[in-house]
């Protein structure tokens, strides 16, 4: 299994897009840091920091693209046969890809976290302290960490769906578009969803509601909208992730190539 | 049993309602080069994929070196190298990176360099694969199949896109490896190439095995002819027939050779009768002729 993860990492690192995406992320975060410094009217310094200078949102996009391509590229290049007719079990091949993506997502979140600290120190050293209270009786750094954890869990809910779709459609396009729409659809439909949930209580268990986790973790009133406690939401997110992963596993094992 | 490396027994496979493999049974002897031939869509690639554990099959049994092979049992694949349909290539990696990626821990850099050298890929092996031509990709695919020095190699249309020199190089490599004990299962439509390689032949048509014999048997089964071109073919025909030679009616003066047909006798007989001989040729039926004959008979009924 370690060999397989190493091989997947080798492929990932040798793609031109991999370093390019990391560099782009740092440039975008720097740009937003500088903008919020120059125009504090539009962007509050503290708010910028807790949302990691928009880094979190970009990471979602990059991870959706990476997850769909790590599966679909093998079908596109015809390399799936070469991967499978070795001594390894099919399940191992798929799990090695998941582990690689897990490592990649941890890398990304560590990168945005550390870089947002660097930006804070460079641009706003005197402006605020990380221990200042932000909202909801949480300090700024706590808010940021909660945001990070919440995003990580809800992103993996989306990624598990993207991994499944890439597996079913064998194409990056479908998986990426549905992944992105799914993630960003929340802001569009959440108003309507909350209304419907008031009427039909069981709707609160739908996967889109689970994606409100980052908001709920940084607010003390959000649970009135989502109708779920924070532990319920965490369990729900993990359960959906596990379900999508399990379907993926079955589809991959049964596939004829 | 130990001299059998691949054993396929009663293999059946359907895609939906189409029965693509019907009770396929054959075995491959260790160190032999076996040709798998048949018309397009006969099931060659399907058999190869099943042997590589890429397919679930309805019934039957496949063993490599005694270990069962199926999508959920892959241990035997450790001894196998393969190239199926077209080579799977990552455009963003170089040829060398491919070989490193797919080589086992036990495969050293010297082994990688050796196969690169033998396949004559040194000039472009460090270029990204997206710049490769069809033939270069094909060579890389073959190198990937051979790099781990597997006991058993499966090559599907390996001569695809190769230039004549590369074809010859590949033939030399395959024959060398077979001499050292590597077993090959090769499918190809280029029968003239295949003929120079294989020890045994398996012919498949419409999902059924219609022929499995050694090449020696196949060749001895065909007619060998001694074709002479003379100044007077009609007279030659009469004289030869009178002297007990059997003639083939297909073209010109064609004597059907038996073990005691001697060319010297034929030449002497004709020249004694005042017939000038302009040309003499030995003709024996090649793989192509034998194969087309075999498939024309159409022993297989569509079901």
């Amino acid at each position: 299994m370690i060999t397989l993860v190493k091989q997947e990492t080798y492929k990932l690192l040798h793609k031109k897009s991999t370093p390019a995406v990391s560099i782009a992320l740092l440039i975008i975060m720097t740009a937003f840091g500088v903008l919020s410094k120059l125009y504090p009217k539009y962007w509050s310094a503290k708010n910028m920091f807790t949302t990691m200078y928009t880094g979190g949102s970009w990471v979602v996009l990059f991870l959706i693209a990476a997850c769909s391509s790590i599966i679909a590229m093998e079908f596109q290049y015809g390399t799936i046969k070469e991967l499978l007719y070795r001594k390894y079990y099919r399940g191992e091949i798929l799990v090695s890809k998941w582990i690689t993506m897990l490592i990649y997502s941890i890398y990304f979140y560590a990168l945005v976290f550390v870089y947002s600290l660097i930006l804070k120190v460079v641009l706003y050293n005197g402006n605020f302290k990380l221990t200042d209270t932000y909202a909801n009786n949480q300090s700024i750094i706590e808010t940021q960490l909660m945001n990070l954890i919440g995003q990580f869990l809800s992103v993996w809910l989306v990624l598990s769906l993207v991994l499944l779709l890439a597996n079913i459609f064998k194409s990056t396009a479908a998986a990426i578009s549905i992944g992105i729409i799914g993630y960003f659809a929340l802001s569009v439909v959440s108003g309507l969803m909350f209304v419907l949930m008031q009427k039909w209580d069981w709707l609160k268990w739908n996967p889109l509601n689970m994606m409100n986790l980052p908001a709920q973790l940084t607010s003390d009133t959000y649970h009135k909208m989502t109708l779920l406690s924070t532990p319920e939401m965490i369990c729900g997110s993990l359960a959906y992730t596990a379900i999508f992963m399990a379907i993926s596993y079955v589809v991959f094992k049964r596939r004829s190539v | 049993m130990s001299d059998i490396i691949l054993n396929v027994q009663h293999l059946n496979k359907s895609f939906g309602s189409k029965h693509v493999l019907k009770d396929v049974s054959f075995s491959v002897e260790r160190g032999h080069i076996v040709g798998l031939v048949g018309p397009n869509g006969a099931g060659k690639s399907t058999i190869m994929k099943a042997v590589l554990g890429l397919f679930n099959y309805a019934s039957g049994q496949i063993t490599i070196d005694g270990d069962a092979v199926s999508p959920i049992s892959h241990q035997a694949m450790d001894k196998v190298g393969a190239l199926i349909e077209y080579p799977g290539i990552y455009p963003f990696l170089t040829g060398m990176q491919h070989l490193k990626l797919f080589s086992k821990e036990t495969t050293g850099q010297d082994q990688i360099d050796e196969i690169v050298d033998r396949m004559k890929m040194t000039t472009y092996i460090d270029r990204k694969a997206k710049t490769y031509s069809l033939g270069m990709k094909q060579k890389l695919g073959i190198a990937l199949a051979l790099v781990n020095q597997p006991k058993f190699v499966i090559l599907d249309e390996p001569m695809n896109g190769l230039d004549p020199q590369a074809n010859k190089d590949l033939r030399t490599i395959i024959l060398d490896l077979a001499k050292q004990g590597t077993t090959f299962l090769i499918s190809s439509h280029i029968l003239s190439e295949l003929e120079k390689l294989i020890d045994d032949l398996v012919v498949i048509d419409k999902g059924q095995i219609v022929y499995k014999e050694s090449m020696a048997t196949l060749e001895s089964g065909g007619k060998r002819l001694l074709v002479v071109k003379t100044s007077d073919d009609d007279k030659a025909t009469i004289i030869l027939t009178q002297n007990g030679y059997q003639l083939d009616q297909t073209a010109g003066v064609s004597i059907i050779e038996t073990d005691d047909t001697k060319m010297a006798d034929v030449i002497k007989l004709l020249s004694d009768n005042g017939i000038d001989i302009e040309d003499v040729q030995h003709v024996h039926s090649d793989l192509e002729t034998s194969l087309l004959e075999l498939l024309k008979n159409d022993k297989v009924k569509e079901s």
Side-chain angles (χ1 to χ4, degrees):
Chain A
M1 183 59 89
I2 292 167
T3 313
L4 289 174
V5 175
K6 270 191 201 157
Q7 289 177 346
E8 290 301 329
T9 319
Y10 185 89
K11 285 186 268 183
L12 185 64
L13 291 178
H14 280 89
K15 277 187 177 178
K16 254 194 205 142
S17 57
T18 307
V21 155
S22 286
I23 292 166
L25 183 63
L26 297 186
I27 292 172
I28 294 168
M29 285 173 69
T30 312
F32 275 96
V34 172
L35 280 175
S36 63
K37 177 85 175 173
L38 294 178
Y39 306 103
K41 268 191 293 183
Y42 304 115
W43 290 286
S44 103
K46 290 177 184 177
N47 187 23
M48 260 296 156
F49 176 75
T50 58
T51 55
M52 292 164 285
Y53 301 90
T54 71
S57 309
W58 296 103
V59 166
V60 177
L61 286 179
F62 299 149
L63 281 174
I64 287 175
C67 279
S68 79
S69 105
I70 200 172
I71 303 280
M73 101 180 150
E74 307 290 357
F75 293 104
Q76 192 189 335
Y77 300 146
T79 42
I80 187 73
K81 294 174 303 227
E82 267 146 63
L83 290 185
L84 294 183
Y85 55 62
R86 299 181 295 171
K87 64 178 170 179
Y88 307 104
Y89 292 103
R90 273 199 185 195
E92 287 183 303
I93 307 278
L94 187 63
V95 172
S96 72
K97 288 181 176 293
W98 292 349
I99 293 174
T100 308
M101 282 297 109
L102 184 65
I103 295 169
Y104 197 37
S105 66
I106 292 170
Y107 154 79
F108 261 136
Y109 280 104
L111 183 71
V112 290
F113 176 68
V114 170
Y115 197 63
S116 66
L117 286 179
I118 293 173
L119 283 178
K120 191 252 167 236
V121 169
V122 173
L123 295 171
Y124 299 104
N125 205 12
N127 290 36
F128 61 90
K129 287 202 202 109
L130 293 178
T131 47
D132 289 351
T133 304
Y134 182 69
N136 186 24
N137 289 325
Q138 288 173 333
S139 69
I140 289 177
I141 186 78
E142 274 173 339
T143 308
Q144 197 203 36
L145 281 172
M146 283 299 153
N147 234 329
L148 203 89
I149 293 167
Q151 274 195 22
F152 189 79
L153 289 174
S154 58
V155 160
W156 263 97
L157 172 55
V158 175
L159 294 183
S160 64
L161 181 64
V162 170
L163 287 166
L164 171 63
L165 293 171
N167 204 334
I168 292 173
F169 296 122
K170 302 191 215 171
S171 114
T172 45
I176 291 182
S177 17
I178 297 179
I180 290 174
I181 292 168
Y183 191 78
F184 294 98
L186 180 65
S187 49
V188 182
V189 299
S190 58
L192 178 66
M193 186 178 73
F194 288 146
V195 173
L196 291 176
M197 273 159 46
Q198 295 293 339
K199 199 165 175 195
W200 293 292
D201 184 63
W202 54 268
L203 265 182
K204 69 186 177 188
W205 293 106
N206 87 74
L208 274 182
N209 195 25
M210 301 300 156
M211 313 242 310
N212 286 313
L213 185 61
Q216 176 142 338
L217 282 174
T218 51
S219 147
D220 52 359
T221 52
Y222 217 76
H223 62 91
K224 288 176 191 153
M225 313 262 276
T226 62
L227 307 179
L228 290 170
S229 72
T230 303
E232 278 174 335
M233 244 177 154
I234 292 173
C235 291
S237 294
L238 292 175
Y240 274 112
T241 307
I243 290 168
F244 290 142
M245 293 293 221
I247 300 172
S248 239
Y249 191 81
V250 172
V251 169
F252 192 74
K253 279 203 98 163
R254 296 175 64 95
R255 157 154 279 143
S256 285
V257 288
Chain B
M1 278 304 280
S2 68
D3 56 341
I4 301 285
I5 189 152
L6 169 69
N7 198 9
V8 177
Q9 290 300 325
H10 309 296
L11 187 65
N12 282 286
K13 164 84 191 164
S14 300
F15 288 120
S17 61
K18 199 171 182 312
H19 202 170
V20 287
L21 295 181
K22 297 163 198 160
D23 201 36
V24 168
S25 298
F26 68 99
S27 58
V28 172
E29 270 181 70
R30 200 179 296 275
H32 276 217
I33 305 175
V34 178
L36 182 62
V37 297
N40 292 326
K44 300 186 296 292
S45 293
T46 312
I47 290 183
M48 289 182 153
K49 285 178 173 181
V51 168
L52 289 170
L54 295 176
F55 274 157
N56 275 309
Y57 38 88
S59 66
Q61 212 184 14
I62 300 171
T63 55
I64 292 178
D65 222 5
D67 294 325
V69 176
S70 75
I72 51 161
S73 171
H74 261 210
Q75 281 308 305
M77 290 300 125
D78 207 21
K79 301 164 189 158
V80 179
L83 167 64
I84 293 289
E85 286 169 344
Y86 53 94
I89 304 277
Y90 298 103
F92 52 87
L93 293 182
T94 66
M96 186 56 87
Q97 286 168 341
H98 276 90
L99 291 164
K100 282 184 182 152
L101 182 66
F102 283 107
S103 61
K104 292 187 206 163
E105 280 108 349
T106 49
T107 304
Q109 183 65 40
D110 49 328
Q111 274 170 270
I112 297 179
D113 292 340
E114 191 197 328
I115 190 75
V116 168
D117 189 48
R118 295 202 67 176
M119 295 295 298
K120 304 216 170 86
M121 298 165 65
T122 30
T123 51
Y124 54 84
I125 197 68
D126 288 318
R127 261 164 52 192
K128 288 225 155 71
K130 64 179 164 204
T131 65
Y132 284 15
S133 70
L134 182 68
M136 290 171 173
K137 285 183 186 166
Q138 186 71 10
K139 281 196 196 179
L140 179 56
I142 296 167
L144 285 169
L146 299 177
V147 67
N148 290 317
Q149 304 189 336
K151 280 187 184 172
F152 182 39
V153 180
I154 296 180
L155 299 173
D156 190 4
E157 297 290 344
M159 292 93 172
N160 249 356
L162 295 188
D163 61 34
Q165 182 61 47
N167 243 328
K168 188 162 176 289
D169 295 342
L170 175 62
R171 208 159 64 220
T172 316
I173 295 171
I174 292 176
L175 289 170
D176 277 359
L177 288 172
K179 238 178 253 166
Q180 292 161 26
T182 309
T183 312
F184 286 86
L185 179 64
I186 303 176
S187 83
S188 179
H189 287 303
I190 310 172
L191 298 172
S192 52
E193 279 298 327
L194 203 57
E195 197 173 18
K196 294 173 191 159
L197 284 171
I198 58 177
D199 302 308
D200 305 310
L201 180 69
V202 175
V203 181
I204 180 164
D205 191 18
K206 302 187 185 93
Q208 288 182 38
I209 304 268
V210 293
Y211 186 83
K212 44 182 175 181
E213 282 298 341
S214 71
M215 278 301 278
T217 316
L218 184 72
E219 276 163 7
S220 68
K223 285 186 215 166
R224 284 175 300 152
L225 300 176
L226 189 65
V227 181
V228 276
K229 211 167 144 198
T230 65
S231 53
D232 190 343
D233 280 358
D234 293 340
K235 195 175 164 195
T237 309
I238 296 165
I239 291 168
L240 286 167
T241 319
Q242 282 169 353
N243 284 275
Y245 288 101
Q246 285 218 305
L247 297 192
D248 192 85
Q249 303 302 322
T250 44
V253 185
S254 308
I255 305 162
I256 297 172
E257 281 189 279
T258 59
D259 286 340
D260 34 58
T261 310
K262 289 201 181 72
M263 200 196 289
D265 293 345
V266 174
I267 296 172
K268 189 163 179 296
L269 177 67
L270 292 175
S271 55
D272 284 353
N273 285 281
I275 298 167
D276 292 335
I277 297 171
E278 288 160 5
D279 191 23
V280 184
Q281 268 185 314
H282 277 291
V283 176
H284 62 86
S285 61
D286 56 2
L287 181 57
E288 184 174 66
T289 322
S290 314
L291 188 73
L292 290 177
E293 195 64 30
L294 198 65
L295 293 174
K296 202 170 62 187
N297 289 346
D298 212 14
K299 294 181 211 161
V300 190
K301 301 278 172 290
E302 283 267 23
S303 61

